[in-house]
Amino acid sequence: MSPPTRPPAFEAGPDRPPRHGPGAHPAGPADPVARHPQSTGATYAPVRRPPSAPHPAAQLPSAHTALICVALPALAVSTEQGQLTGQGLEGVYLDGRRVLSRCRLRVAGREPLAVQARMVTADRAHFVATWRSSADQGPDPDVVVERTRHADGTERITLRSAARRPLRLPVEIALGTDLADMGAVASGTAGPELPASVHDSGMRWSDGTATSVLTADPPPTDALASAGLLRWEIELPPGATRSVELRVRPDGAGPVRTAARGTTGPFAPARAVSDDPRVAPLLRTSLADLQALLLRDPTHPGDVYVAAGAPWRCGMAPAEALATARMALPLGTRLAAGTMRALARTQLTGSGTLSGLIPGPRRHTGVLLPPSCTGVEATLLFPVLLAEARRWGLPEQETEELLPAAENCLRWLRTATGSGAYVADPFPDGPLRCETQAHAHRAALLGADLLDAYDRPGGAGLRQWAQELRTVFRDDFWIDDRAGGRPAAARTADGRPLPHLGAGSVHLLDLGLLGSGGFAEGLLDKVRTEQLARLLGGPAMDSGWGLRSLGAKEAVYNPFGHHAGAVRVHETAVAVAGLAAAGYDKEAASLLRGLLSASDAFGGRLPEMYAGEERTAGGLPVPHPAACRPAATAAAAGVLLLNTLAGVRPDVPAGTVALRPIRSAPLGEIGLTGLRVAGAPFSVRIGRLGLAMVEEAAEELQLGI
């Protein structure tokens, strides 16, 4: 069935470059941005590009091979050479503007030879190069050059003598910037470098609207503004070291203040130990990446949330922020609370059909369906996150403060369905997507539970609607065939089912946490859940590196298609959790091992997606050139995977916590320490036989069944 016809509610604009900064809501590299006018009761017409003005496709620079230091709102993007050349994405960015694009070091007129580059932490990279005076002195270097570059625009360059004689070395650093924003850099439309002027102990650049200043310590012995050049004459006795420190800032700005450097972060200092050596680095990197992507709400600095990912999406993306906070609940509820408070302030009000909706951009969903609306997804995620955060120990006062916003989301849900059972995405005249119905059904059941807990009206009506949805969904969204059938990916407005098999179906297994460690009822019955588990675990969907976003047998399958075959880490983690909860340990373990192998191949820092090509002996996962890395949902997926292994399911209002680990213990023994349940440290150990033991917990918690 299709919803009643209503005026379009979202503006779907042409592709735009990503916006950055704490207040930005950027779409991904290929996402057209939709904006909700901050009013209700009006009608909106979609924005259309005139036929005479086609939008040229921009070739995004590849971010995968770059070393990306992140401590938002600051970024530093480098290649393995260590030099900043101004090419591609290279440079230091503050609040989305490139304040330094070129920083090339020469010793005695020659660039040192790069020999090593590595990420030390999420916000710091280390480079090693060597320099020798001449070929006549043999192959050994005379000087080792080390550079430590921080996301906040600080760099320390150290020269260490390996020579047996004193050296007197002319050292020069060529500097420059275009003060371009990230969107212009990504689309290749950044302008030329700006002229520099000598300023105090460094250089200064200005374009009339912004200014960047670089200072050096010790001050240079000479500065040449026309070339943007700083020079030193360095005396280097045998075995000695000399250092130069550079700092780049907007003019008049003090040290960069990042959300991650607050007095207390929102994440528990969790640690993992396991028979599998990949587990500990996965959690450690996940925590570091989540911390690096933190942003503070500009109007309420006490509230923090995560940006979607670097380098493309360094602002608030509502659906991704909520999904990340939900997966990260084992690390505490502060991120969830900050994210919900920030989004509640954007929620649309009034009496129109948009009232209660949380605005969000549109997202491309491949070639088979039109773009979806992340605002719909965010609105349906909000009450789910609040209900589950309460189970994990969100204080009652904070829950009650957020309850009105959740009620508004649930009222929007009932408005969006009208007299029918389905939610269109985008609302109100888009297709009926399978995953949107799963989000809506989960929101109704967890929302009803939340309303009942606080004696608020509406719970019974939500449960009745959810029952009606289950009844019609099982008829309308299941396509029978000789292989056992499959869920339809969507139904068009005229009722035509789209039969392609994609990862959106994993959300049918994501049921939501209720009381006593139990899950809500799902849209599929037991027989069809088993069939879906078989399909997700089959070779068409399981690439060996994770779950493909579209089955390999589908006509438009493309291993690099971000919704047409690429592995999306978040969807794979949701599949692992859903399959394990439904009792399909074999399929869950296969996807889990594939994701862990990919994580190991990517140095522990999973990108948001990568190619869904079949895994072969000795092969490696192939990066997607436009993927964010780090990405919030990919980082939080590591937390979800490890909590799935342990099966921690708290019910703090009831004073209990249940443990339902994966029985097969696919990674052997695993211990998780420093989690947070009821605001207190929580530690659990799962043995090689799949038995769980709580080692630390709040005194008031009792172990449930």
Side-chain angles (χ1 to χ4, degrees):
M1 72 192 322
S2 27
T5 302
R6 297 185 178 95
F10 297 88
E11 293 187 338
D15 290 355
R16 301 176 187 173
R19 294 174 57 217
H20 287 253
H25 291 243
D31 293 351
V33 178
R35 290 286 179 264
H36 299 263
Q38 295 296 321
S39 60
T40 56
T43 60
Y44 312 102
V47 175
R48 304 187 187 277
R49 178 177 295 274
S52 58
H55 182 71
Q59 180 67 39
L60 288 171
S62 175
H64 176 74
T65 56
L67 281 75
I68 303 177
C69 305
V70 187
L72 294 183
L75 289 174
V77 183
S78 317
T79 70
E80 293 184 346
Q81 299 301 308
Q83 304 274 35
L84 296 181
T85 67
Q87 302 298 310
L89 289 173
E90 293 176 51
V92 176
Y93 299 81
L94 297 178
D95 288 318
R97 186 183 290 268
R98 184 156 63 177
V99 294
L100 184 68
S101 59
R102 187 164 54 94
C103 184
R104 302 189 74 157
L105 172 71
R106 290 184 177 86
V107 178
R110 290 185 287 112
E111 293 191 6
L113 177 67
V115 295
Q116 187 183 72
R118 65 187 179 93
M119 294 295 301
V120 180
T121 59
D123 68 339
R124 182 160 46 105
H126 185 73
F127 307 90
V128 179
T130 61
W131 179 90
R132 57 180 178 147
S133 57
S134 71
D136 296 338
Q137 301 297 323
D140 297 338
D142 294 296
V143 178
V144 176
V145 181
E146 297 185 63
R147 304 175 72 166
T148 302
R149 184 170 295 139
H150 296 255
D152 66 0
T154 303
E155 178 169 345
R156 189 171 185 84
I157 302 171
T158 300
L159 283 71
R160 185 174 72 249
S161 173
R164 300 177 61 183
R165 66 191 187 286
L167 298 173
R168 182 180 177 86
L169 299 174
V171 173
E172 60 183 31
I173 302 176
L175 303 160
T177 190
D178 48 19
L179 288 176
D181 64 48
M182 175 65 83
V185 176
S187 62
T189 59
E193 284 190 359
L194 298 167
S197 60
V198 176
H199 178 81
D200 197 10
S201 59
M203 292 285 171
R204 182 178 185 272
W205 301 267
S206 179
D207 66 357
T209 62
T211 302
S212 177
V213 173
L214 181 138
T215 58
D217 183 23
T221 55
D222 190 19
L224 185 62
S226 60
L229 202 63
L230 302 182
R231 291 173 173 163
W232 292 260
E233 288 289 336
I234 292 182
E235 302 282 351
L236 203 58
T241 63
R242 297 289 185 269
S243 296
V244 173
E245 186 167 280
L246 307 176
R247 292 179 182 272
V248 63
R249 301 280 189 271
D251 192 13
V256 177
R257 298 188 62 183
T258 65
R261 292 185 179 177
T263 54
T264 56
F267 303 119
R271 296 290 183 270
V273 294
S274 175
D275 291 339
D276 192 312
R278 300 169 296 183
V279 167
L282 176 66
L283 181 56
R284 183 170 59 249
T285 306
S286 293
L287 271 167
D289 285 350
L290 288 171
Q291 195 84 357
L293 291 169
L294 285 175
L295 289 171
R296 294 193 181 277
D297 189 301
T299 59
H300 296 76
D303 292 336
V304 294
Y305 47 79
V306 291
W312 312 115
R313 307 181 68 202
C314 294
M316 161 71 91
E320 283 89 342
L322 289 166
T324 298
R326 185 180 176 220
M327 290 188 284
L329 282 172
L331 304 177
T333 60
R334 282 193 59 202
L335 179 67
T339 302
M340 287 187 286
R341 282 194 291 264
L343 289 175
R345 290 189 279 269
T346 73
Q347 192 172 40
L348 302 182
T349 59
S351 58
T353 57
L354 297 182
S355 180
L357 194 70
I358 294 172
R362 288 195 179 184
R363 174 200 294 141
H364 278 317
T365 52
V367 299
L368 295 169
L369 286 167
S372 66
C373 179
T374 60
V376 170
E377 184 178 343
T379 305
L380 298 174
L381 270 174
F382 191 105
V384 171
L385 177 58
L386 183 58
E388 292 189 334
R390 176 175 174 264
R391 299 289 177 193
W392 281 89
L394 182 67
E396 289 295 313
Q397 180 181 347
E398 294 186 61
T399 305
E400 290 188 44
E401 289 172 353
L402 288 163
L403 189 57
E407 289 182 289
N408 291 338
C409 292
L410 295 169
R411 277 194 288 270
W412 176 86
L413 167 59
R414 297 308 309 273
T415 299
T417 59
S419 59
Y422 296 128
V423 179
D425 182 5
F427 173 76
D429 54 357
L432 309 177
R433 300 172 195 268
C434 174
E435 62 264 35
T436 302
Q437 313 320 311
H439 293 322
H441 183 260
R442 182 179 61 232
L445 293 183
L446 269 67
D449 190 64
L450 189 63
L451 295 177
D452 289 352
Y454 289 92
D455 295 324
R456 306 296 281 264
L462 286 167
R463 289 190 181 90
Q464 177 62 34
W465 173 80
Q467 175 61 55
E468 295 170 1
L469 176 61
R470 286 194 295 275
T471 300
V472 295
F473 183 91
R474 292 173 184 179
D475 290 334
D476 293 346
F477 272 81
W478 191 262
I479 300 173
D480 288 312
D481 56 35
R482 285 182 290 182
R486 62 174 63 186
R491 291 176 66 85
T492 61
D494 60 3
R496 179 171 52 90
L498 300 180
H500 60 271
L501 179 63
S505 61
V506 304
H507 296 286
L508 294 170
L509 303 176
D510 181 10
L511 307 181
L513 183 63
L514 288 176
S516 303
F519 288 112
E521 186 175 356
L523 282 173
L524 297 181
D525 58 26
K526 184 176 180 180
V527 172
R528 289 172 176 175
T529 297
E530 181 177 0
Q531 172 64 4
L532 177 58
R534 187 184 69 80
L535 291 171
L536 295 176
M541 291 297 291
D542 185 351
S543 70
W545 299 114
L547 191 74
R548 294 185 176 98
S549 53
L550 187 67
K553 295 181 180 179
E554 302 299 324
V556 297
Y557 166 72
N558 171 9
F560 284 91
H562 68 292
H563 282 282
V567 173
R568 299 179 66 85
V569 171
H570 174 209
E571 290 173 338
T572 303
V574 170
V576 171
L579 288 165
Y584 299 98
D585 291 4
K586 178 182 176 182
E587 292 81 0
S590 176
L591 290 171
L592 169 65
R593 292 191 185 100
L595 211 53
L596 275 175
S597 296
S599 173
D600 193 44
F602 287 120
R605 178 182 261 187
L606 280 165
E608 62 176 327
M609 62 181 169
Y610 44 89
E613 294 184 332
E614 189 71 22
R615 184 175 180 177
T616 58
L620 292 172
V622 180
H624 192 291
C628 286
R629 183 170 176 259
T633 53
V639 180
L640 175 61
L641 290 172
L642 298 184
N643 188 61
T644 298
L645 283 168
V648 181
R649 303 182 192 174
D651 186 358
V652 171
T656 64
V657 59
L659 298 178
R660 311 280 173 79
I662 296 182
R663 296 186 299 271
S664 59
L667 303 183
E669 185 171 341
I670 181 172
L672 299 175
T673 60
L675 303 178
R676 285 289 185 274
V677 178
F682 186 88
S683 301
V684 62
R685 184 170 297 276
I686 294 82
R688 296 180 182 90
L689 299 178
L691 300 177
M693 177 182 296
V694 174
E695 296 184 332
E696 183 181 21
E699 291 184 2
E700 65 270 20
L701 287 179
Q702 299 294 319
L703 186 62
I705 298 175

